[in-house]
Amino acid sequence: DNDLEKNPLLTTAGQSDIRKLSQNSGVLVKSVTGDCFMQNPFWKANHIQQHKLFKKFEKICEACVALNINFIVIPLVDDGALNTAEQERFLTRRLLDYQPYLEKNDLYILFESDFTPSRLSGFIDTFPSNCFGINYDTGNSASLGYDALEELSLYGSRVKNVHIKDRAVG
């Protein structure tokens, strides 16, 4: 979150460089993980900061649209974890209010979570599947001892991105 405005994703020059690198290499950037949302989650901020932090979210969305990036991962882990029902209600309400923008711009919000499989299944069911899904992080699931078959049977159809991660088990 520190110096986010200097991130190449959010600058005109940086976006130009990303386009050139992608064109020259043939590598397409299709997802962005918003670690800044873990560092300063708008759903945990006080009322005064919520608006400011949500504006950062909007700027990231705009940058993704400009670069034809379709998936924005919101990590609901570590400092970004949902700790209260109020935080969950606030996040849900704000993102559902933002749904028309997401639909218009072919953006998906993907949640990465440390919820149990049944809790994550219930959580994702509150969001429409046309612009909300799951970023399945193999390292998080393995380190928490979750059964991949159970996870995929509960919400596999909502998985839009897989993050292979080196988090240790146990």
Side-chain angles (χ1 to χ4, degrees):
D1 187 63
N2 291 336
D3 295 328
L4 183 64
E5 65 280 352
K6 295 178 185 175
N7 187 299
L9 180 73
L10 300 179
T11 68
T12 304
Q15 289 179 6
S16 178
D17 287 345
I18 291 168
R19 282 187 196 94
K20 286 176 193 169
L21 287 167
S22 183
Q23 209 169 39
N24 292 340
S25 68
V27 175
L28 299 177
V29 179
K30 299 309 288 176
S31 69
V32 166
T33 298
D35 282 349
C36 60
F37 305 130
M38 284 192 310
Q39 296 162 357
N40 280 311
F42 60 85
W43 53 93
K44 288 185 172 185
N46 65 41
H47 185 70
I48 295 168
Q49 289 286 50
Q50 285 173 345
H51 180 73
K52 179 182 171 187
L53 292 172
F54 195 78
K55 283 290 182 197
K56 288 182 178 185
F57 168 78
E58 291 177 318
K59 287 180 190 249
I60 291 168
C61 289
E62 291 165 6
C64 287
V65 169
L67 290 167
N68 200 30
I69 296 170
N70 301 101
F71 301 129
I72 301 171
V73 178
I74 296 182
L76 301 176
V77 297
D78 302 326
D79 290 339
L82 294 169
N83 297 323
T84 68
E86 180 53 37
Q87 290 171 3
E88 186 171 333
R89 280 191 298 274
F90 179 78
L91 175 67
T92 301
R93 189 172 50 247
R94 283 298 288 200
L95 293 179
L96 288 175
D97 287 347
Y98 205 65
Q99 181 181 348
Y101 179 88
L102 299 171
E103 289 173 335
K104 178 183 173 191
N105 292 288
D106 196 28
L107 282 177
Y108 277 83
I109 299 300
L110 305 182
F111 299 104
E112 182 176 313
S113 169
D114 57 5
F115 291 164
T116 64
S118 61
R119 174 126 160 61
L120 182 53
S121 179
F123 175 78
I124 197 60
D125 283 346
T126 64
F127 294 93
S129 62
N130 65 328
C131 49
F132 295 94
I134 293 173
N135 179 70
Y136 183 71
D137 187 309
T138 60
N140 288 351
S141 292
S143 71
L144 293 166
Y146 296 156
D147 180 334
L149 292 177
E150 177 189 10
E151 290 178 296
L152 296 175
S153 71
L154 288 171
Y155 48 76
S157 64
R158 299 295 299 270
V159 172
K160 303 295 180 196
N161 194 51
V162 176
H163 183 181
I164 306 297
K165 193 168 175 182
D166 59 351
R167 184 175 276 195
V169 176

